[in-house]
Amino acid sequence: MRGFPGVVGLVAAATLVVGGLAVVGNLNPQRQLGVGTDRLGPDSGEQVSDYLARAETSLLADGAEPRWGSVSFDRELTAEQAYAAANGVRISQVLFRVPLDRVQTPILTVGVPGTERSVSNSTARAAGQIPESFGAGDRQAQIEAVSQRRLLGACACVVTLVVRGTAAELDEVAGRDGVRAVEALPPDAVSGKFAVEPLLPEYVDIVGPLPDDGPIPAE
């Protein structure tokens, strides 16, 4: 850069600015909002007892900051029963699965604003997520048809809620009748940036694929 002292000075100044920004960034790391690394629910292959212990430990956090959490039940509930179990803690999502003996049915997630009416109406909205089935002899089409009919009949099909509350509020929910587990995320978890896997009532020993060899009820 001989003969251009002004350019040399500008390059040096720019280098100092970039270096300074790098130091500031290292001292103040930002959460990567575009990467969904948080997760609610058990892992595939996880022992149920391990997950229950892990969920219980997540409620021991200090602080009064609200956080996202999941509420899993020991049996399928109606939307009204699930709302009552949350008892004032804000509900964000309702997860449904129609229980059929030894038949795998779809898990359906409905977002709600948290009001009692929106939770009550979520069962019909879940039914609307099931596509129109074609081919009466197709097993999957039959499963979807039965699932849709039962949801339209306001079945007891809620398996999990996604809620938002303080650790103390979520811990209180964990002690209510019918609640099997409540798990909380760290307070900096971002809505829409975490996965949710329901703890199904059928999971007894280990989390994994359920049997799918049972007959589909004729209705």
Side-chain angles (χ1 to χ4, degrees), residues 39-57:
R39 175 187 175 93
L40 287 168
D43 296 323
S44 179
E46 184 174 14
Q47 293 287 336
V48 171
S49 58
D50 290 344
Y51 171 70
L52 295 177
R54 180 160 62 85
E56 186 175 358
T57 300

Side-chain angles (χ1 to χ4, degrees), residues 128-179:
Q129 291 184 11
I130 299 176
E132 291 293 332
S133 301
F134 299 95
D138 178 74
R139 179 177 175 85
Q140 189 59 38
Q142 293 175 358
I143 291 172
E144 291 172 351
V146 172
S147 296
Q148 187 175 64
R149 284 195 296 269
R150 294 199 176 184
L151 286 165
L152 289 174
C155 61
C157 297
V158 177
V159 290
T160 297
L161 299 176
V162 176
V163 298
R164 185 164 176 81
T166 65
E169 290 172 335
L170 297 180
D171 185 57
E172 182 182 353
V173 173
R176 294 174 185 157
D177 182 52
V179 174

Side-chain angles (χ1 to χ4, degrees), residues 44-97:
S44 179
E46 184 174 14
Q47 293 287 336
V48 171
S49 58
D50 290 344
Y51 171 70
L52 295 177
R54 180 160 62 85
E56 186 175 358
T57 300
S58 73
L59 301 178
L60 301 178
D62 295 326
E65 308 98 326
R67 58 193 69 215
W68 295 103
S70 62
V71 182
S72 301
F73 303 105
D74 58 12
R75 64 190 184 281
E76 293 83 0
L77 300 181
T78 65
E80 291 75 15
Q81 291 171 331
Y83 181 84
N87 193 26
V89 175
R90 180 178 176 273
I91 300 172
S92 175
Q93 292 180 334
V94 186
L95 276 67
F96 294 87
R97 179 179 180 273

